[in-house]
Amino acid sequence: MRNKRFGRQCWLILASLPLLGFLLIPLIALALRVPVAALASTFAKQTVREALSLSILTTSSSMLITLLFGTPIAILLARPRFRGQSLLDTLIDLPMILPPSVAGIALLMAFGRRGLLGQYLRILEIELPFTTTAVVLAQVFVASPFYIKAASAAFATIDHDLEDAAALDGANSRQIFWFISIPLAWTGLVSGAVMTWARALGEFGATIIFAGNFVGRTQTMPLAIYQGFEQDLNVALVLALLLLVISFVILGLVKGLLAQRLR
């Protein structure tokens, strides 16, 4: 029996090698190609520093906006079913599967100078496209569903009898939310927030269409990689490796939180 199990595992390993190798080899090739001697000089470039700082600023802003306005949606989706819940859930999922270019064009048609809302914002002398604010809006559009889905799943696991018991003891809705719901769902909320931040950090397609690629104003790290690929390959390689490392660390953190939650 043990020999059969070992043989089955060997067969699965051999069958997995082609795809695993295909996924792993490009990452190894990227790491090996990065010029170690050029790391310091690359990070010393003003355009690289500006792309890094802008990425940190915009992704932090988009994550805070998502936490503020996405949490009520997550709670709503986690509650007992109501009319239109399936439609709302589908609308939340839609940005996750839309091509980024479609998201960028949609944002431009909504908030551009002649867009659905942009024409009225222009009267108020508010212009969003090709600004830092546009970068944040693009990131929120494509990344917020990751938090909402994770938070909704976390809130759905809460035993509502605990919330009802707290209400019977005199706790108001705000106290129940902060002292009952949040502590019980915190691992899902944190993992969702981290995944949202990571998705926002890697956002490219919607950003370049809606915000453009202007150094110091809208050029985030993915856009700097795109420009570096055309002008200075070392910049593209170093920033690509940095994003790879950040993504690996973030995934490790999220998996660790989820594993802790399941214990």
Side-chain angles (χ1 to χ4, degrees):
M1 186 68 179
R2 182 176 300 178
N3 291 335
K4 290 183 178 180
R5 184 180 302 171
F6 178 75
R8 187 162 55 247
Q9 289 177 342
C10 290
W11 179 85
L12 289 173
I13 292 173
L14 291 174
S16 303
L17 286 178
L19 183 56
L20 290 176
F22 174 74
L23 295 175
L24 188 60
I25 289 174
L27 303 180
I28 296 175
L30 172 62
L32 293 177
R33 186 65 185 273
V34 173
V36 178
L39 287 175
S41 60
T42 299
F43 282 115
K45 293 184 177 181
Q46 183 177 354
T47 55
V48 173
R49 295 200 305 270
E50 289 178 344
L52 287 171
S53 60
L54 185 64
S55 289
I56 294 173
L57 173 64
T58 56
T59 53
S60 299
S61 300
S62 61
M63 186 179 69
L64 290 175
I65 292 172
T66 299
L67 290 174
L68 181 61
F69 297 103
T71 301
I73 299 176
I75 296 175
L76 188 62
L77 290 175
R79 297 304 179 186
R81 296 192 63 83
F82 56 88
R83 182 176 297 180
Q85 186 181 35
S86 179
L87 177 61
L88 176 61
D89 192 38
T90 301
L91 290 175
I92 296 300
D93 287 337
L94 197 57
M96 300 174 67
I97 62 173
L98 275 178
S101 57
V102 175
I105 292 176
L107 288 169
L108 199 59
M109 293 301 100
F111 300 106
R113 291 183 178 182
R114 298 181 181 179
L116 183 64
L117 299 178
Q119 56 184 325
Y120 302 108
L121 293 175
R122 191 179 181 186
I123 297 175
L124 301 174
E125 297 184 352
I126 299 175
E127 293 192 8
L128 297 177
F130 311 111
T131 64
T132 304
T133 303
V135 177
V136 176
L137 292 178
Q139 291 174 351
V140 170
F141 186 86
V142 301
S144 58
F146 289 87
Y147 169 76
I148 294 173
K149 301 300 290 186
S152 176
F155 284 126
T157 61
I158 296 176
D159 186 353
H160 296 300
D161 290 340
L162 297 175
E163 297 176 328
D164 294 338
L168 289 175
D169 289 337
N172 57 38
S173 299
R174 184 179 303 176
Q175 291 172 326
I176 292 173
F177 175 73
W178 285 109
F179 298 108
I180 303 295
S181 302
I182 292 295
L184 291 176
W186 78 271
T187 53
L189 301 182
V190 172
S191 62
V194 171
M195 290 297 291
T196 293
W197 184 83
R199 177 64 184 88
L201 183 65
E203 162 52 30
F204 174 81
T207 303
I208 198 169
I209 292 178
F210 183 49
N213 188 11
F214 302 101
V215 177
R217 189 171 69 187
T218 65
Q219 188 180 84
T220 56
M221 290 174 64
L223 298 182
I225 292 174
Y226 175 75
Q227 183 174 331
F229 184 75
E230 296 181 332
Q231 300 177 1
D232 188 346
L233 185 59
N234 286 341
V235 172
L237 289 172
V238 171
L239 289 179
L241 180 62
L242 180 60
L243 282 179
L244 174 62
V245 172
I246 292 174
S247 300
F248 183 82
V249 172
I250 287 174
L251 285 175
L253 176 63
V254 170
K255 289 181 180 295
L257 287 172
L258 293 176
Q260 182 180 357
R261 182 183 178 187
L262 293 175
R263 289 176 182 175

